[in-house]
Amino acid sequence: MNTEELKSELETLIWRTATNLVHGGRVAPVQFMDYMLGALFYRFISENITDYCNRLMIESGVPDADYVNMGDDVAENARTQIVNAKGFFILPSQLFINVANGARSNDNLNTTLANNFQKIEASAIGSPSEYDVKGLFDNFNTNDKGLGATVIERNGMLTTLLESVRDLNFTTYIESGLDVFGICYEHLIKMYALNSGTKGGEFYTPGEVSYLLAKIAVAERTSINKVYDPACGSGSLLLNFNKVLDARNIKEGFFGQEINVKTYNLCRMNMFLHNVNYDHFDIQNGDTLKDPKHESEEPFDAIVSNPPYSVPWDGDSDITLINDPRFSPAGILAPKSRADFAFTMHILSWLSTEGTAAIVEFPGVLYRGGAEKQIRQYLVTNNFVDTVIQLAPNMFFGTTIATSILVLKRNKKDNRICFIDASKEFVHEGNKNKLSPENINRIYETHWNKSEVEHFSHVVTIGDVEEQNFNLNVSIYIEPEDENEHINIRELNERIAQIVNRENELRVELDKIIEEIEIEDL
């Protein structure tokens, strides 16, 4: 079985486990995902700490190193060292495996779990990792009555959950080199988004689109200083830089901000689960447009984002925003009812002079008038727009709308803009469309080379866009392929004439038959 087949099998395994748990309880599927994700995360960090401690003991010559069965008093001696290395500390008695093994006989399981989570988070207080760890388990409420009306019922559900996650056998997948916990977590978040209705797209961008955005933002470089997403959701976009470059080649790490607390917690968990250590990411909670958290870190070499579509913001009702250096260069603010271009201007402001930004945009942003037209004019006339890519419909969770990718650069080498109509670049997967590796390569290579491909891409100048009144809608610049059947009028007329002649002949023959019948009747 090849790697992709093993990955698919692993995804099926983790989703089957999750759905089996949901079907056996009272908790709604979307709500229960918080517990499934939390339990998987608990197992991961426990095994991560265990492997680290066992390795330290082996290197120090300790025979039969076994952190799982070590006494808590002995383990305490390594607390500071482990917190400095991993960002948190877990005593042997608090490890996932020990809690799961004793779950059935623990009448206070819900309290044990809550206390363990609190102590794990508290272990980071006063250390550089404090705010990377704080609140990580907030989504895992062990006393939620949704788990059961009584403590006994809640503990029964928690026991089933812990044992199910404990019994997941990952050995084959780990031996094959797969990033097992990262793959499981990403697949669960994907399915979480799929089952979350209209809100699903707020915290998960499909992996194939995320990969394309990261590839565009990397722009053929072999290393990047630091990467950023101002509306990072669960971190799926940021983590695709790992696939393009490998985390070791992102020198100062991953930076992101997320307004939703629950999703912010998912994002930090996701970083840990993909083996991004606490000192290599900085994910903050808050409103990026009103209270950006990374001013001391900007500019960024690569920025990717799928910001929320057309959400309201303060706009011109806050007089300070027009003087904000992120928004003031355009001379006008994005409309209060649609913050799309507020995110775009923020991204451009924090992009380094050699950087590239790839942003998913709602279609209306490319052609609507008013303030949005003026901002487009600013972006185009200052030569920041590099490429506009029209994607296929029904790719994102929570919407079937065909979105676009806007690629920005601060230091372009020419004044050309490439338009790509990738609306037919997709394959079907379930009830969604997705980009195949071939689709991604075709789109990326066309963008990178600014290639002219009939009915697919067209390269224009700033002047050409000005003539179109700064409309960036791809369909204006690319002539669609005519898929209608072409008809030869002369041949058609000849066929019609033949049909008419034959019809006349038949009428004559029919008249003769009728005349003969009438004579016989007489």
Side-chain angles (χ1 to χ4, degrees):
M1 193 177 293
N2 62 36
T3 302
E4 281 304 310
E5 289 171 334
L6 280 170
K7 180 175 179 288
S8 178
E9 183 180 86
L10 176 60
E11 291 172 343
T12 300
L13 171 66
I14 194 68
W15 184 240
R16 184 171 61 243
T17 302
T19 52
N20 285 344
L21 288 167
V22 169
H23 292 156
R26 300 176 178 84
V27 187
V30 172
Q31 182 187 6
F32 196 80
M33 289 302 293
D34 290 335
Y35 298 102
M36 186 67 190
L37 291 166
L40 190 71
F41 178 69
Y42 185 23
R43 174 177 166 177
F44 168 79
I45 61 173
S46 294
E47 292 183 4
N48 189 273
I49 286 284
T50 298
D51 291 344
Y52 177 75
C53 292
N54 285 343
R55 187 171 67 253
L56 285 181
M57 287 187 282
I58 291 169
E59 291 172 354
S60 300
V62 176
D64 303 320
D66 183 8
Y67 189 72
V68 170
N69 294 302
M70 179 184 288
D72 284 355
D73 54 340
V74 178
E76 276 289 353
N77 296 322
R79 176 181 288 269
T80 301
Q81 181 180 0
I82 293 171
V83 170
N84 289 338
K86 293 296 181 180
F88 52 86
F89 179 67
I90 307 176
L91 287 168
S93 64
Q94 299 165 351
L95 292 170
F96 172 87
I97 187 65
N98 288 330
V99 176
N101 286 343
R104 286 197 176 274
S105 59
N106 187 351
D107 294 336
N108 299 306
L109 178 61
N110 61 327
T111 302
T112 298
L113 284 171
N115 289 340
N116 286 355
F117 296 159
Q118 186 274 327
K119 289 174 182 176
I120 292 169
E121 292 181 15
S123 70
I125 293 175
S127 74
S129 62
E130 178 175 353
Y131 293 100
D132 296 315
V133 175
K134 184 179 181 180
L136 275 176
F137 289 98
D138 282 358
N139 297 350
F140 198 124
N141 181 2
T142 63
N143 291 302
D144 190 334
K145 289 186 178 179
L147 291 170
T150 67
V151 171
I152 292 175
E153 289 178 346
R154 291 197 284 275
N155 284 342
M157 178 66 80
L158 290 169
T159 296
T160 301
L161 169 67
L162 294 178
E163 289 181 346
S164 297
V165 173
R166 177 198 64 190
D167 294 341
L168 287 168
N169 188 348
F170 292 147
T171 303
T172 300
Y173 309 109
I174 292 172
E175 289 175 351
S176 73
L178 288 177
D179 175 16
V180 169
F181 284 95
I183 290 169
C184 286
Y185 206 72
E186 184 174 337
H187 188 67
L188 285 172
I189 291 176
K190 173 185 173 181
M191 301 310 292
Y192 192 177
L194 187 62
N195 286 276
S196 295
T198 58
K199 298 297 182 181
E202 290 186 2
F203 56 84
Y204 181 76
T205 300
E208 297 76 25
V209 177
S210 298
Y211 181 80
L212 174 60
L213 292 169
K215 190 171 177 63
I216 289 172
V218 166
E220 298 292 309
R221 287 171 287 188
T222 56
S223 67
I224 290 283
N225 192 27
K226 45 192 170 183
V227 298
Y228 174 64
D229 182 349
C232 61
S234 61
S236 56
L237 266 169
L238 284 172
L239 286 165
N240 267 273
F241 281 106
N242 273 346
K243 298 177 183 177
V244 177
L245 275 180
D246 191 289
R248 292 171 297 180
N249 296 316
I250 303 168
K251 297 177 183 177
E252 293 186 38
F254 303 80
F255 296 79
Q257 186 164 341
E258 170 55 39
I259 192 170
N260 183 286
V261 174
K262 184 173 180 178
T263 312
Y264 158 68
N265 291 334
L266 285 177
C267 184
R268 291 182 298 153
M269 286 185 179
N270 212 1
M271 290 289 160
F272 280 113
L273 280 159
H274 281 84
N275 286 306
V276 180
N277 206 35
Y278 78 90
D279 56 359
H280 210 58
F281 72 82
D282 183 0
I283 307 298
Q284 298 285 338
N285 178 224
D287 185 335
T288 299
L289 300 180
K290 294 175 64 174
D291 184 24
K293 301 291 188 181
H294 295 101
E295 289 179 299
S296 62
E297 299 292 344
E298 63 95 2
F300 296 94
D301 291 338
I303 302 178
V304 289
S305 194
N306 179 16
Y309 302 150
S310 298
V311 293
W313 75 307
D314 289 350
D316 58 14
S317 64
D318 182 346
I319 59 174
T320 66
L321 291 175
I322 192 59
N323 295 314
D324 189 309
R326 296 174 297 159
F327 311 123
S328 59
I332 194 168
L333 295 171
K336 286 193 290 186
S337 60
R338 298 186 292 266
D340 307 76
F341 265 141
F343 281 102
T344 302
M345 289 298 295
H346 166 81
I347 288 168
L348 178 65
S349 175
W350 284 17
L351 185 64
S352 72
T353 54
E354 299 301 321
T356 300
I359 314 161
V360 177
E361 298 281 13
F362 194 79
V365 174
L366 302 179
Y367 58 78
R368 288 190 295 239
E372 290 177 312
K373 179 198 167 185
Q374 293 184 53
I375 295 173
R376 285 198 306 274
Q377 182 172 344
Y378 165 77
L379 296 173
V380 171
T381 56
N382 284 277
N383 201 23
F384 295 133
V385 179
D386 187 58
T387 303
V388 184
I389 304 166
Q390 174 70 59
L391 295 176
N394 199 28
M395 278 192 171
F396 292 81
F397 297 100
T399 181
T400 59
I401 291 173
T403 58
S404 298
I405 298 173
L406 181 64
V407 183
L408 302 179
K409 291 185 178 181
R410 295 191 66 89
N411 191 22
K412 287 173 60 182
K413 307 303 181 185
D414 57 38
N415 70 344
R416 299 185 304 154
I417 300 172
C418 182
F419 289 87
I420 300 174
D421 181 2
S423 58
K424 295 180 181 178
E425 293 293 313
F426 66 89
V427 294
H428 293 291
E429 184 180 80
N431 62 352
K432 305 297 289 183
N433 296 328
K434 64 176 285 187
L435 294 171
S436 69
E438 292 75 22
N439 297 146
I440 292 171
N441 287 336
R442 187 184 189 206
I443 295 168
Y444 176 76
E445 291 299 328
T446 303
H447 148 74
W448 179 249
N449 296 309
K450 281 190 164 64
S451 306
E452 285 275 359
V453 182
E454 188 176 13
H455 307 306
F456 182 70
S457 64
H458 184 44
V459 180
V460 304
T461 65
I462 290 174
D464 295 325
V465 177
E466 185 174 0
E467 288 179 4
Q468 296 296 337
N469 208 17
F470 300 100
N471 189 324
L472 294 177
N473 198 347
V474 171
S475 62
I476 289 179
Y477 301 94
I478 299 176
E479 181 182 355
E481 187 173 3
D482 186 359
E483 296 181 344
N484 295 321
E485 182 181 358
H486 293 279
I487 298 174
N488 187 311
I489 298 299
R490 178 177 294 178
E491 289 181 0
L492 179 62
N493 287 335
E494 289 177 356
R495 288 173 60 193
I496 292 173
Q498 291 172 1
I499 292 171
V500 170
N501 290 336
R502 180 55 180 159
E503 186 180 42
N504 290 335
E505 291 173 358
L506 290 172
R507 282 177 179 171
V508 170
E509 292 177 6
L510 183 60
D511 288 343
K512 286 181 180 180
I513 293 171
I514 293 173
E515 184 179 349
E516 290 174 0
I517 292 173
E518 289 175 345
I519 292 172
E520 290 178 0
D521 289 343
L522 291 175

